[in-house]
Amino acid sequence: MRISDLRLLDVVNVKDGRRLGPIKDLDLDLEKGMVKGMVVPGPTRSSWGLFGGGRPEDFIIPWDRVKKIGVDVILVDANDLPEFHSENEDRR
């Protein structure tokens, strides 16, 4: 599978079924030649600021949290990561 193929898949939390969004990027360790994690978009804010207001911050899901890569989705265990707590209801 190619990185361009991975970017077409949705990332879904296996614990609650929430869609976390598509992969925006991969976090690589070039010295060890391995994938450290994947970057997904953060929640969108409703602010309408001129200079970046409303733009989400990206979150990194460690690669060891990936449970399964399927043909349509990537299943991850993001439940106990601080940025993915269930009170963050404005996730996509």
Side-chain angles (χ1 to χ4, degrees):
M1 183 173 268
R2 298 179 180 166
I3 293 174
S4 59
D5 296 333
L6 286 176
R7 294 188 69 194
L8 299 175
L9 305 179
D10 279 329
V11 179
V12 174
N13 187 355
V14 296
K15 298 295 183 181
D16 60 9
R18 279 188 302 156
R19 179 181 173 268
L20 304 177
I23 293 178
K24 289 182 68 177
D25 208 347
L26 291 177
D27 185 19
L28 304 174
D29 183 336
L30 297 178
E31 290 180 14
K32 295 181 181 178
M34 59 182 264
V35 178
K36 291 174 30 179
M38 58 183 157
V39 180
V40 296
T44 319
R45 297 184 186 114
S46 59
S47 164
W48 289 90
L50 280 177
F51 301 104
R55 196 179 327 181
E57 291 187 30
D58 295 338
F59 295 135
I60 297 177
I61 300 174
W63 192 253
D64 63 352
R65 297 299 185 99
V66 174
K67 299 302 176 189
K68 179 80 174 172
I69 299 176
V71 294
D72 295 328
V73 297
I74 299 172
L75 300 176
V76 299
D77 179 5
N79 224 32
D80 60 347
L81 296 174
E83 55 268 19
F84 295 113
H85 281 201
S86 58
E87 64 265 9
N88 293 338
E89 291 300 321
D90 54 353
R91 296 289 310 163
R92 293 181 205 184

